[in-house]
Amino acid sequence: MAENVQGKLFCTFDFWSLKPCAMKYLVSTLASLVFVFSASAQSAQWVKLNTGTTKDIYDIHFLSPDTGYIVGEDYLFKKTTDGGQTWKDLPTPTINEKPGNGGDIMGIDYHGGYRWSHLDSGLFLAWREGYGGMITEDEGASYIHFAYDDSNMFCSIRGFRALDEHGGNGYVNLITYGESCGGNGVYYNYYNGPFGFPYADSTPTAQPNVITSVDRDSFITIFGHSDGYLRKERWVTAPLDSLYLDSTGITAVHAAGNGTWYAATNSGLNNMYRSDDSGSTFYQDPSFPQTFHYPQINDMSFVEPELGIAAGISNGRNGVIMIRDSSGWFFLTAEQPLNKAKLFDNGVGYVAGENGLMMRTGAFPPADTLGIRELHLNQLSVYPNPVESTFYLENLNPDLEIHALQLVQMTGSVVKSFDPSESELDVSDVPQGVYFLVLNSGGYRVSHKVVKR
């Protein structure tokens, strides 16, 4: 079963340049996501799924928008076939786990039996601390060993990825990544193909360092590293090329299609980078605004360069969903920190994280859905900004039931309250300064930065 999300939706802002953020998109998001849900209108909404667990979810893998798996702490391994409405417990592995691991499963992915494959197809799972990975072709009824050449290579595994066949050469990269027992970032790469062989590499960097993520497009495989470097591999067994981004460390990388890449750092501000040349160069994404969330981005998923989601932690406490579309980025808070994100072409998206929290956007089957693609149907204008005496709200969605409309200082104190039914807001008696215009509706809040001069 699913329930409506009781989170708070915030508009981001550019604190230093004082540019207004796109509240006009966010108010329509509230209406379409939360309050106007019907199959006929195909309105998108984020819902919290009942996963039947309070264990932390460390990884997710979906075969389709409706069929997927979650793994996590204390032998968590579940499956859904109805888009997350119900979940079935699957048998957990009993092999390759190091003593003291406690049943933590950090990675899950699927290897579909590529041509000339030297490994069985099926679900691959990786322990946080393991002597090797596990493969199951029958959803946990039986497991076989996926060994590492060096059984003590990993002291902390961050995840496992089965990356698609590279350039039509029959090879697929099966990559386990994390931290070595020597404190360095390390990955174990099994090139599965006509001359399949295991290949491991330990990056010679200062402690403490971890390989945090990996992805690939048609031209390159890129590893995110907590030392602030992207490690790039152009072809099978090619030497790694390093590109420095940020001393705070790389937390996530993702190939978004058409040669576009995104890389997130742990800096909290200006922490989204973008490449438009298949990873050759990266620059700070100007559409990713500075925000009071100070997010740590743990995972990203894109279906095209301008359409994706990211999952992470807001201000070191709660979760945050970051949504990217042609208008830029905006943010939705969650009850718990989030570890993973997945977005499909039809707009259905998932995020998952601590305390069993999992959220989905998009209508449940059998209803058709455009999911996140139809978040921005209408436009709300807030003008002028900066203002001297009167703000005007234009094109406010009539289906949105507003409970409170307030002007709030950056400290959080309310300066002035307005009639929620009004679209003309008098601020002539308000001192000059920077404020938030806050709209509350059913436990949700949209916050738009405004300047009074």
Side-chain angles (χ1 to χ4, degrees):
M1 298 296 291
E3 58 182 281
N4 289 337
V5 179
Q6 294 301 311
K8 294 181 179 179
L9 186 61
F10 294 94
C11 186
T12 58
F13 64 96
D14 184 338
F15 180 84
W16 303 111
S17 63
L18 302 183
K19 296 177 181 178
C21 62
M23 180 182 175
K24 60 184 179 181
Y25 299 106
L26 294 183
V27 173
S28 65
T29 297
L30 279 176
S32 61
L33 280 179
V34 183
F35 300 104
V36 194
F37 177 61
S38 67
S40 59
Q42 296 181 348
S43 299
Q45 66 172 2
W46 282 95
V47 294
K48 184 170 68 175
L49 305 176
N50 182 3
T51 56
T53 184
T54 57
K55 299 176 182 179
D56 292 346
I57 301 171
Y58 296 139
D59 201 4
I60 62 178
H61 178 74
F62 277 81
L63 300 173
S64 72
D66 300 323
T67 300
Y69 307 86
I70 59 175
V71 295
E73 70 169 336
D74 190 24
Y75 303 99
L76 176 65
F77 186 20
K78 287 175 173 279
K79 177 185 180 180
T80 182
T81 57
D82 56 11
Q85 296 183 89
T86 60
W87 294 86
K88 173 186 176 182
D89 289 312
L90 298 178
T92 53
T94 58
I95 57 175
N96 295 340
E97 184 181 13
K98 288 184 178 180
N101 179 62
D104 289 348
I105 305 173
M106 294 301 297
I108 182 171
D109 211 332
Y110 181 78
H111 175 257
Y114 296 90
R115 58 179 175 165
W116 304 314
S117 176
H118 288 267
L119 288 177
D120 293 329
S121 63
L123 292 168
F124 284 60
L125 286 77
W127 299 113
R128 181 192 298 272
E129 297 181 57
Y131 297 119
M134 298 78 68
I135 309 170
T136 177
E137 296 182 284
D138 48 21
E139 297 185 334
S142 62
Y143 287 90
I144 61 175
H145 190 79
F146 176 54
Y148 311 133
D149 276 359
D150 179 358
S151 61
N152 291 310
M153 177 181 298
F154 292 100
C155 278
S156 178
I157 289 173
R158 286 297 182 93
F160 174 85
R161 290 292 307 275
L163 299 178
D164 291 341
E165 183 180 354
H166 181 64
N169 61 11
Y171 280 96
V172 60
N173 294 46
L174 308 175
I175 299 177
T176 310
Y177 57 93
E179 184 178 18
S180 74
C181 293
N184 293 330
V186 64
Y187 66 92
Y188 183 88
N189 190 353
Y190 192 104
Y191 292 103
N192 189 24
F195 304 100
F197 55 91
Y199 174 72
D201 179 77
S202 179
T203 56
T205 52
Q207 300 179 3
N209 289 286
V210 181
I211 290 179
T212 57
S213 61
V214 60
D215 205 1
R216 183 168 76 188
D217 66 8
S218 299
F219 302 98
I220 192 170
T221 301
I222 299 182
F223 297 85
H225 202 291
S226 65
D227 66 357
Y229 284 86
L230 296 173
R231 314 289 181 185
K232 303 185 293 181
E233 185 180 65
R234 293 286 176 183
W235 60 83
V236 175
T237 71
L240 292 178
D241 178 27
S242 295
L243 176 64
Y244 180 76
L245 288 190
D246 192 312
S247 62
T248 60
I250 313 298
T251 59
V253 295
H254 191 79
N258 297 328
T260 300
W261 280 77
Y262 288 90
T265 70
N266 202 27
S267 63
L269 288 174
N270 298 317
N271 59 339
M272 182 64 74
Y273 288 76
R274 174 170 171 153
S275 170
D276 298 316
D277 53 12
S278 198
S280 295
T281 59
F282 280 80
Y283 59 91
Q284 287 186 348
D285 183 356
S287 69
F288 193 85
Q290 298 182 25
T291 167
F292 47 78
H293 284 288
Y294 299 105
Q296 173 189 310
I297 301 166
N298 292 325
D299 194 32
M300 295 181 282
S301 180
F302 282 77
V303 296
E304 56 190 56
E306 310 302 333
L307 185 63
I309 58 176
I313 303 173
S314 174
N315 294 317
R317 298 188 302 273
N318 299 323
V320 60
I321 306 168
M322 289 145 281
I323 301 169
R324 175 71 164 93
D325 68 6
S326 58
S327 67
W329 292 87
F330 59 96
F331 295 72
L332 170 69
T333 59
E335 297 173 358
Q336 302 288 338
L338 298 170
N339 299 319
K340 291 294 176 178
K342 174 62 179 177
L343 182 63
F344 288 91
D345 287 338
N346 70 344
V348 172
Y350 293 90
V351 293
E354 295 184 8
N355 202 36
L357 178 63
M358 193 165 192
M359 297 165 64
R360 168 185 164 133
T361 185
F364 286 104
D368 188 17
T369 177
L370 297 178
I372 203 170
R373 290 184 181 274
E374 65 165 21
L375 292 181
H376 308 306
L377 301 178
N378 302 311
Q379 292 188 351
L380 172 77
S381 297
V382 182
Y383 66 93
N385 192 11
V387 66
E388 293 184 355
S389 60
T390 304
F391 282 114
Y392 296 92
L393 307 183
E394 188 176 79
N395 298 329
L396 183 64
N397 192 312
D399 295 313
L400 189 65
E401 184 180 357
I402 302 175
H403 299 156
L405 190 60
Q406 297 173 319
L407 197 66
V408 179
Q409 289 181 321
M410 298 188 72
T411 60
S413 60
V414 177
V415 175
K416 188 171 185 178
S417 296
F418 305 97
D419 185 338
S421 64
E422 292 295 323
S423 59
E424 184 175 323
L425 311 180
D426 180 16
V427 292
S428 59
D429 55 344
V430 175
Q432 295 182 357
V434 179
Y435 302 92
F436 294 114
L437 182 62
V438 178
L439 181 153
N440 287 278
S441 182
Y444 289 79
R445 185 174 75 169
V446 172
S447 179
H448 179 73
K449 189 186 68 179
V450 295
V451 178
K452 169 63 189 307
R453 63 185 182 188

